[in-house]
Amino acid sequence: MSGRTHACARPERTCVGCRERAAKTDLLRIVAVGGECVPDERGTLPGRGAYVHPAVGCLDLAERRRAFPRALRAMGPLDTAGVRRSIEAPRIPQ
């Protein structure tokens, strides 16, 4: 045996709020666009991305730690109202 597992490798990212690692598909990608944070649910917007769990608690931690400007390398504070609306909105199962 070579020691390799047959499990499929999944990309992992770190939540900027709680700092826990999770599968990329379990996190919400955030991108800075014109001084505000925009949720990138499809993962196709250009630019640097920061990842956060789609939970209000993780968003609150990220805001308190000022993690978005640091992770996105933005100058000054970023408005996170759009991200908060996206997280608090009820999700429709597909």
Side-chain angles (χ1 to χ4, degrees), residues 4-91:
R4 294 184 182 202
T5 61
H6 294 285
C8 183
R10 297 184 328 192
E12 288 188 342
R13 301 291 185 266
T14 302
C15 173
V16 295
C18 65
R19 305 294 300 157
E20 290 185 15
R21 291 188 61 81
K24 184 178 174 181
T25 56
D26 295 339
L27 298 171
L28 177 64
R29 183 173 187 254
I30 309 297
V31 178
V33 176
E36 72 176 281
C37 291
V38 177
D40 182 15
E41 295 170 357
R42 300 174 101 197
T44 57
L45 291 176
R48 272 186 92 73
Y51 291 85
V52 67
H53 284 108
V56 176
C58 284
L59 180 61
D60 289 339
L61 280 171
E63 288 175 338
R64 192 173 332 140
R65 295 177 55 241
R66 298 182 192 102
F68 289 121
R70 185 171 44 251
L72 299 173
R73 296 184 183 166
M75 302 302 277
L78 294 171
D79 182 25
T80 59
V83 176
R84 184 167 297 278
R85 281 192 303 272
S86 174
I87 289 176
E88 290 176 347
R91 301 258 180 216

